[in-house]
Amino acid sequence: MRRSKGKLRTAVIATASAALLAGTVALAPGASAVTPTWASASFDCGTLGSSPADFIATQNGTDATITVELPSLTVPIAVPAFSVPATLVLVDTSTWTSTTFTGDLNPYMAAGDPLYLGWLQGTVTPGSTLDAIAGRLTFTLYGVTFTCHPTSFLFPAPFQF
């Protein structure tokens, strides 16, 4: 009988510990997930021409990172890493407020490579719906600043943070 009580006590303690742990995990703040994680929009970059822009978004709470590639625009000569400062402005389609992402974390690009602006970082409001339309993309390449204007909405959908 003594052995049964010991096993019962162990089972009760284990169950209580598991319930407590489950409650702690359930209450712990988790990383938010942006959806979709990939989207594309068309941009007119003036003298550089037009290009789709491919975006990959990640989110951790209010911190967000968006990578930007303009596959139809190629660099004519090599571009050193961390040398292309860029700013992406996306607009919340429900409030028409803008959110800015900035950075100069581009990788090295060899002559002929697509223009890859790298990782742009910004602060987002959870629940916001950000789209490219009415926003802009600005970057400095070889000392010249270019501004690209979106000519389409993000496809397949705007980013939901």
Side-chain angles (χ1 to χ4, degrees), residues 36-136:
T37 56
W38 173 90
S40 183
S42 297
F43 279 80
D44 178 0
C45 297
T47 58
L48 290 179
S50 295
S51 177
D54 294 326
F55 303 102
I56 297 174
T58 60
Q59 178 186 7
N60 186 6
T62 60
D63 296 328
T65 301
I66 297 181
T67 60
V68 180
E69 181 178 15
L70 298 156
S72 295
L73 303 180
T74 57
V75 296
I77 59 175
V79 176
F82 314 116
S83 66
V84 183
T87 300
L88 172 66
V89 177
L90 297 178
V91 176
D92 188 319
T93 56
S94 62
T95 63
W96 293 104
T97 56
S98 60
T99 300
T100 303
F101 299 84
T102 60
D104 61 357
L105 300 176
N106 64 285
Y108 168 83
M109 292 171 272
D113 282 353
L115 181 58
Y116 188 81
L117 299 179
W119 302 267
L120 306 180
Q121 299 173 334
T123 302
V124 296
T125 302
S128 60
T129 301
L130 302 182
D131 207 324
I133 205 70
R136 70 183 171 282

